[in-house]
Each structure stands twice: as C-alpha cells, then as structure tokens.
Amino acid sequence: MIIAVDGPTASGKGTIAKALAAHFGLPHLDTGLLYRAVGRQVFLDGGDPDDAGDALAACSFPDGLLADPHLRDEATGGLASRVSIHPVVRTALFDRQRIFATQAGGAVLDGRDIGTVIAPEAEVKLFVTASVEARAERRFREMQERGSNSTLADIAGNLRRRDERDSQRAVAPLVPADDARVIDTSELGRDEAIAAAVEVVEACLRETGPEGA
Ligand code: DC
C-alpha cells in the first residue's frame, strides 16, 4: 500500500506521515528533505538557487547531507522552495522517490506532489492543510524551542511566500489530487490529527478491500 501525504509547510503532514508509517508498519520518506538538501548544497557551493544549472549540480549532494541539522532551518526551507521550481531538479529527484514509493510492501511519502506526480496510483492520498495563522503559530513555537529569534510576523510572511511559490509553479504545483481526502488540522491537536488520518486510511482500506493493502 502506498500512502501519499501532501500539503503545505507546517500543516502537520510530516507528523501525520511518520505516525501512519509507524501505525501501518511501512517505511517513510520525507521528500521535502531531498529538496532541502539541494537548497543547502547550492548554498554550500556558493551557487544561485534561482539558476537551473546551479540547482541541478546540487542534486548530486552527498547522502550524509540528509543528516545535516541545518536542513530544518527556515532559510533552508526558502532555498528548497526556490530550487524546487526548476523542472530539471524535479526530474533529477524523481527516480529516488519513485523507487522508494514502489518498493515491495508499500511506503508512506510526504511532500507536495506525491499523489499527483510521484505515485498517482497511491491507494491512499491525503492532503493535509491548515490556516496560515495556525501553521505560523506552530512553526513559531518550533523555532523558539530551537532557540531561533524569528518573529511570528516573519514566519507568517515566509509561509505565505512559500505557499505562493509552491502553488503557482508551472511543474508539479502544490494542489490536492482530485481523489485526495483533505484533512484540515487548524483546530486539531497532534493526536487528533493523527487519529483523523488513521481513520481516513482505514476507511480507504475498507473501500478498496484487502487487495488495496
Ligand atoms: O515540506 P518541506 O517544507 O520540507 O519542503 C521544502 C520545500 O521543498 C517546499 O517549499 C517545496 C519543496 N518540495 C517540493 O517541491 N516537492 C516535494 N515533494 C517536497 C518539497
């Protein structure tokens, strides 16, 4: 069974994807991390994230970079959003995601285009979303815990810019697949959001029958 979890930044999709993977005993890939690694590698190379050639060169980042704590920084998220616009970057990262998605036994992947591009055949497609205010508040608390001094207004501004860029790019924009089930986590706590997602997956399994699993 492939479970695709798409949605904007700080919607709770990563938390939900991890929890679904644990619940259903499936491996999990956070595909945003791949784009973050490309963004970080462009920065380390002194390249220009808006230049397709520089961004493509950064796609050969070493695997060790995936463990770099800087990948979680707000600045790296912005670079990731910029490099992810280039079709050559999306193509370069496609196989890695596709191979993960189609491994025997199934997988959970979270990102922006899993249900639309990477695994359109996924048995379960979730689109996890929340208001900008709720997402900014969450990201703000997370950043404070990490000792960052970004303000709530800065974070909300960054989220809006990234949403706009991610939703309006020409290739693989952030849009729910036609057959995705939408979960709005604005008013849900962590456990409630996870419970809602588990319920949606179980409902999908009941509809498709055991051969969907
Ligand atoms: O989910 P995230 O915040 O870690 O993603 C960082 C950026 O990477 C996001 O702004 C857009 C890009 N991204 C993408 O284009 N496609 C994906 N499947 C995952 C992330």
Side-chain angles (χ1 to χ4, degrees), residues 9 13 30-33 35-36 77 80-81 84 90 97 111-114 162 166 169:
T9 278
K13 67 178 187 311
D30 168 2
T31 64
L33 220 48
Y35 290 91
R36 285 169 181 266
S81 173
S84 72
R90 307 202 71 83
Q97 297 173 78
R112 301 289 186 291
D113 61 343
I114 308 304
R162 277 178 58 191
D166 294 351
R169 66 179 176 226

Side-chain angles (χ1 to χ4, degrees), residues 71-172:
L71 294 195
R72 300 282 175 198
D73 293 350
E74 271 296 285
T76 310
L79 291 170
S81 173
R82 285 161 69 184
V83 297
S84 72
I85 279 185
H86 306 298
V88 284
V89 167
R90 307 202 71 83
T91 305
L93 298 182
F94 179 86
D95 283 352
R96 186 171 186 154
Q97 297 173 78
R98 181 74 194 151
I99 289 168
F100 193 91
T102 55
Q103 65 187 288
V108 181
L109 291 87
D110 72 272
R112 301 289 186 291
D113 61 343
I114 308 304
T116 50
V117 176
I118 303 297
E121 79 278 34
E123 285 82 359
V124 183
K125 297 182 189 178
L126 301 181
F127 192 83
V128 181
T129 188
S131 66
V132 172
E133 293 72 24
R135 292 189 287 130
E137 186 69 42
R138 273 179 210 155
R139 182 51 58 88
F140 178 61
R141 280 201 303 268
E142 201 181 299
M143 287 293 148
Q144 277 193 320
E145 276 163 26
R146 295 181 52 198
S148 152
N149 50 15
S150 307
T151 66
L152 183 58
D154 286 344
I155 290 176
N158 281 342
L159 282 183
R160 285 200 175 87
R161 271 192 297 282
R162 277 178 58 191
D163 281 357
E164 195 174 314
R165 202 184 297 120
D166 294 351
S167 318
Q168 298 189 352
R169 66 179 176 226
V171 180

